[in-house]
Amino acid sequence: MPNANAEAQRRWRQRQKEKKQEELVQAVAPAGVFRKPFFEVFTPDDQVGSQYCQALELTGIAAPLFEDDRGPEAFTLDDLQDHNPFGEDSSTSLGRAEVMIGCLIKAAQGLADEVNAYKRTEIKARLAEVEASDLSDPAKKKAALKEAARLNKMLDQLDKQVRWTFPAWKVTG
């Protein structure tokens, strides 16, 4: 007689495998739902006064407008003859917008990392200056300790992660 526990475990694993395969099939973007091209809904006239364009222009970046239904591969600066890193569902203006969202988030994260590293370096340099200063005078020692506490508080703030919320822009079937 086979071990009932082993057989039950085998059936459970098979069900989990089937469930995972179903989820993969459903993870594909729903075809036929988004019929009207994105650029027709978010017209260039709408884009010019939008928060999207204003935010980029404040940083000195000319906002790319959605004027037709071309996907991100038509706008990339890299030669993509051999592969498409954007995925099959990104060949439209909607796909381009979704790729842009991801890229802008990555760019913001990369810039935040660089600013964080710079500020840490500078704060640690100021802490080293405070430690190397003459602390024989009680007034100077008190001021130096206060400055060191302030700088350490700044370092503690840089240790934290921040979270920004966005409306969902990705959907699956």
Side-chain angles (χ1 to χ4, degrees):
M1 179 170 147
N3 186 343
N5 244 356
E7 183 62 30
Q9 190 75 341
R10 201 172 4 265
R11 286 193 310 265
W12 180 81
R13 284 192 187 113
Q14 182 63 31
R15 285 193 307 269
Q16 293 300 100
K17 185 177 177 182
E18 290 169 0
K19 183 178 177 184
K20 194 171 192 176
Q21 287 175 344
E22 286 177 23
E23 288 174 359
L24 285 175
V25 169
Q26 292 177 354
V28 177
V33 174
F34 307 112
R35 293 183 183 153
K36 192 169 188 176
F38 178 67
F39 79 96
E40 289 181 6
V41 176
F42 191 44
T43 65
D45 290 338
D46 295 335
Q47 295 170 46
V48 171
S50 71
Q51 184 179 6
Y52 154 72
C53 281
Q54 289 177 355
L56 286 175
E57 289 169 358
L58 283 173
T59 65
I61 299 171
L65 299 179
F66 298 93
E67 299 173 312
D68 53 38
D69 207 26
R70 290 182 292 165
E73 63 279 346
F75 295 90
T76 186
L77 301 177
D78 292 336
D79 185 16
L80 302 175
Q81 292 177 1
D82 297 335
H83 70 291
N84 180 4
F86 306 117
E88 294 177 19
D89 296 333
S90 66
S91 60
T92 64
S93 56
L94 178 61
R96 179 177 167 222
E98 291 174 342
V99 167
M100 284 178 62
I101 292 166
C103 291
L104 289 169
I105 290 170
K106 286 180 183 176
Q109 184 178 22
L111 186 57
D113 287 341
E114 294 298 326
V115 169
N116 184 288
Y118 165 76
K119 287 184 175 184
R120 285 177 175 287
T121 302
E122 289 295 308
I123 291 169
K124 288 178 181 177
R126 299 304 79 78
L127 277 170
E129 290 172 3
V130 167
E131 290 174 5
S133 65
D134 180 27
L135 302 177
S136 58
D137 181 27
K140 286 183 182 179
K141 184 176 182 176
K142 183 178 179 182
L145 289 174
K146 187 175 181 180
E147 179 65 7
R150 186 177 76 88
L151 292 170
N152 280 316
K153 185 175 180 181
M154 292 169 81
L155 279 176
D156 289 342
Q157 289 175 351
L158 290 173
D159 285 338
K160 296 178 181 175
Q161 296 288 318
V162 295
R163 178 179 290 174
W164 290 85
T165 58
F166 301 97
W169 67 91
K170 291 184 181 184
V171 294
T172 58

